[in-house]
Amino acid sequence: MSKRIIVQKYGGTSVADVDRIKNVAKRVVKTKKAGNDVVVVVSALGDTTDELIGLALQVTNNPPERELDMLVSTGEQVSCALLAMAIHELGESAISFTGAQVGIITDNSFTKARIIDINARRIVDELKKKRIVIVAGFQGVNLNQDITTLGRGGSNLTAVALAKVLKAYSCEMNTDVEGVFTADPRIVRDARKIDRISYEEMFELASLGAQVLQPRSIEFAMKFGVPIHVRSSFSERTGTIISREVRAMEDIVVSGVALTKNEAKVTICDVPDRPGIAAKIFREIAKQDINVDMIVQNVSRTGATDMSFTVPENDLNKTIKVAKDISAKIRAGGVIFDKDIAKVSIVGIGMRSHSGVAAKMFEALAEKGINIEMISTSEIKISCVVGKKYGEDAVRAIHAKFGLGKKRNS
Ligand code: ASP
Ligand code: MG
């Protein structure tokens, strides 16, 4: 085997059609010819996964999760076989595998399985034979030999996990953008590609909806120190390196601005201010498997207070129903909700050591006359809820206020 193993993941848009698969084959062969051992992880062609889920939903509103995994895992089986053929066509030797074939063992949580072990022997054997190894992303197998999948965007996790067990030199995420940006370039025209970012920041940005990487894959990479390189499948340029925090990163106060539009705000009014009430409310909501994001409770001067929180928009109806039940039970004043909200967030590890960051963000919004409805902060993140129609303006204002579009000398 050569000294360096490189894991390259190609997302759905990178293998959306035959021409793109041929393009990927060329890139893979080039990496191999440069003297590396190459392991490729592929997603399903284009929107295949969505289409397969759509098919299932035409058959039933409630597809059994085991069968859903059986179905959607076929997408990646198609792309890995086609890529192997395209590589053969270029005169190199390649072999494709399903997750099960390369021993990606998971737990039993269909549709969001966790990897519990990878036996990479088969991959190592094939690399020794000088072959390029192609692995179907997003899938594994549980101890009963049932096919499982790793959650949407799970090919990222496959790539990171393989990079870890193979002790790969690098884990490249090849996608349809040049890297990770300071904001969505479709919203902010002078958004800039970030050269280097910490796992923590990337995790926050991905959780806030930055599409490039699945949050779980970043968590995994962080835990095991797998360096990630996010880059474009369509160019040779260096993209964004995601790694452990290095000193210079602290000087950058804000790394990126994110916008989330798929949450809704629910308020339970005049909630009695007594021990155990919050516990009761959020226990009931959790029982319905609803993920609460921001929670705001104000001080009560009259023995009652309003309690607001945000939930995924998809869960709004379910949430209103539970909230109304609880409101009646605890003798609160009823439930109001708002679907038209957006959450704007800034993320940066420099916030830990710089002050005035929140004030500057609020000023940016104030200067545009944008009202803030909710605020939450954590060590490296500040989020504000604003009216949905102001979301994009808010991102632009904050991006400009922190000077993120300009070249920084870091
Ligand atoms: N094809 C799967 C999805 O669309 C996995 C992936 O692309 O990473 O979620
Ligand atoms: Mg996909």
PDB file of all heavy atoms in Angstrom, residues 43-44 49 76 138 152-156, ligand 1:
ATOM      1  N   SER A  43     -22.686   9.367  -2.589  1.00  0.00           N
ATOM      2  CA  SER A  43     -24.114   9.518  -2.296  1.00  0.00           C
ATOM      3  C   SER A  43     -24.894   8.987  -3.491  1.00  0.00           C
ATOM      4  O   SER A  43     -24.320   8.675  -4.533  1.00  0.00           O
ATOM      5  CB  SER A  43     -24.477  10.997  -2.132  1.00  0.00           C
ATOM      6  OG  SER A  43     -23.908  11.525  -0.982  1.00  0.00           O
ATOM      7  N   ALA A  44     -26.197   8.970  -3.342  1.00  0.00           N
ATOM      8  CA  ALA A  44     -27.064   8.548  -4.450  1.00  0.00           C
ATOM      9  C   ALA A  44     -27.118   9.643  -5.512  1.00  0.00           C
ATOM     10  O   ALA A  44     -26.903  10.812  -5.223  1.00  0.00           O
ATOM     11  CB  ALA A  44     -28.458   8.272  -3.913  1.00  0.00           C
ATOM     12  N   THR A  49     -32.613   9.949  -3.350  1.00  0.00           N
ATOM     13  CA  THR A  49     -33.121   9.594  -2.013  1.00  0.00           C
ATOM     14  C   THR A  49     -34.500  10.202  -1.786  1.00  0.00           C
ATOM     15  O   THR A  49     -35.424   9.516  -1.319  1.00  0.00           O
ATOM     16  CB  THR A  49     -32.129  10.046  -0.921  1.00  0.00           C
ATOM     17  OG1 THR A  49     -30.828   9.560  -1.270  1.00  0.00           O
ATOM     18  CG2 THR A  49     -32.520   9.528   0.446  1.00  0.00           C
ATOM     19  N   GLU A  76     -27.514   4.518  -3.214  1.00  0.00           N
ATOM     20  CA  GLU A  76     -26.053   4.525  -3.152  1.00  0.00           C
ATOM     21  C   GLU A  76     -25.455   3.290  -3.821  1.00  0.00           C
ATOM     22  O   GLU A  76     -24.322   3.316  -4.291  1.00  0.00           O
ATOM     23  CB  GLU A  76     -25.593   4.625  -1.699  1.00  0.00           C
ATOM     24  CG  GLU A  76     -25.496   6.046  -1.132  1.00  0.00           C
ATOM     25  CD  GLU A  76     -26.814   6.760  -0.897  1.00  0.00           C
ATOM     26  OE1 GLU A  76     -27.866   6.095  -0.917  1.00  0.00           O
ATOM     27  OE2 GLU A  76     -26.797   7.987  -0.691  1.00  0.00           O
ATOM     28  N   PHE A 138     -23.875   6.274   3.480  1.00  0.00           N
ATOM     29  CA  PHE A 138     -25.199   6.431   4.096  1.00  0.00           C
ATOM     30  C   PHE A 138     -25.750   5.144   4.681  1.00  0.00           C
ATOM     31  O   PHE A 138     -26.759   5.157   5.343  1.00  0.00           O
ATOM     32  CB  PHE A 138     -26.114   7.021   3.003  1.00  0.00           C
ATOM     33  CG  PHE A 138     -27.575   7.229   3.290  1.00  0.00           C
ATOM     34  CD1 PHE A 138     -28.015   7.898   4.416  1.00  0.00           C
ATOM     35  CD2 PHE A 138     -28.523   6.805   2.361  1.00  0.00           C
ATOM     36  CE1 PHE A 138     -29.375   8.131   4.618  1.00  0.00           C
ATOM     37  CE2 PHE A 138     -29.877   7.038   2.553  1.00  0.00           C
ATOM     38  CZ  PHE A 138     -30.301   7.697   3.688  1.00  0.00           C
ATOM     39  N   ARG A 152     -30.222  11.500   7.008  1.00  0.00           N
ATOM     40  CA  ARG A 152     -30.007  12.274   5.791  1.00  0.00           C
ATOM     41  C   ARG A 152     -28.618  12.905   5.803  1.00  0.00           C
ATOM     42  O   ARG A 152     -28.146  13.373   6.830  1.00  0.00           O
ATOM     43  CB  ARG A 152     -31.079  13.360   5.636  1.00  0.00           C
ATOM     44  CG  ARG A 152     -32.501  12.830   5.431  1.00  0.00           C
ATOM     45  CD  ARG A 152     -32.647  11.802   4.319  1.00  0.00           C
ATOM     46  NE  ARG A 152     -32.176  12.217   3.004  1.00  0.00           N
ATOM     47  CZ  ARG A 152     -32.920  12.805   2.072  1.00  0.00           C
ATOM     48  NH1 ARG A 152     -34.186  13.067   2.320  1.00  0.00           N
ATOM     49  NH2 ARG A 152     -32.406  13.126   0.910  1.00  0.00           N
ATOM     50  N   GLY A 153     -27.983  12.871   4.657  1.00  0.00           N
ATOM     51  CA  GLY A 153     -26.616  13.391   4.566  1.00  0.00           C
ATOM     52  C   GLY A 153     -25.592  12.417   5.133  1.00  0.00           C
ATOM     53  O   GLY A 153     -24.425  12.751   5.326  1.00  0.00           O
ATOM     54  N   GLY A 154     -26.037  11.187   5.400  1.00  0.00           N
ATOM     55  CA  GLY A 154     -25.201  10.216   6.106  1.00  0.00           C
ATOM     56  C   GLY A 154     -23.940   9.759   5.388  1.00  0.00           C
ATOM     57  O   GLY A 154     -23.044   9.182   6.019  1.00  0.00           O
ATOM     58  N   SER A 155     -23.828  10.037   4.097  1.00  0.00           N
ATOM     59  CA  SER A 155     -22.588   9.658   3.410  1.00  0.00           C
ATOM     60  C   SER A 155     -21.385  10.385   3.999  1.00  0.00           C
ATOM     61  O   SER A 155     -20.270   9.871   3.983  1.00  0.00           O
ATOM     62  CB  SER A 155     -22.672   9.989   1.917  1.00  0.00           C
ATOM     63  OG  SER A 155     -23.761   9.316   1.349  1.00  0.00           O
ATOM     64  N   ASN A 156     -21.638  11.578   4.512  1.00  0.00           N
ATOM     65  CA  ASN A 156     -20.552  12.295   5.195  1.00  0.00           C
ATOM     66  C   ASN A 156     -20.019  11.478   6.359  1.00  0.00           C
ATOM     67  O   ASN A 156     -18.816  11.391   6.575  1.00  0.00           O
ATOM     68  CB  ASN A 156     -21.063  13.628   5.754  1.00  0.00           C
ATOM     69  CG  ASN A 156     -21.384  14.626   4.677  1.00  0.00           C
ATOM     70  OD1 ASN A 156     -20.528  14.984   3.887  1.00  0.00           O
ATOM     71  ND2 ASN A 156     -22.626  15.057   4.631  1.00  0.00           N
TER      72      ASN A 156
HETATM   73  N1  ASP B   1     -28.385  10.082  -0.228  1.00  0.00           N
HETATM   74  C1  ASP B   1     -28.533  10.362   1.165  1.00  0.00           C
HETATM   75  C2  ASP B   1     -29.287  11.654   1.340  1.00  0.00           C
HETATM   76  O1  ASP B   1     -29.644  12.303   0.372  1.00  0.00           O
HETATM   77  C3  ASP B   1     -27.229  10.390   1.872  1.00  0.00           C
HETATM   78  C4  ASP B   1     -26.291  11.458   1.432  1.00  0.00           C
HETATM   79  O2  ASP B   1     -26.476  12.085   0.396  1.00  0.00           O
HETATM   80  O3  ASP B   1     -25.312  11.689   2.138  1.00  0.00           O
HETATM   81  O4  ASP B   1     -29.521  12.053   2.448  1.00  0.00           O
END
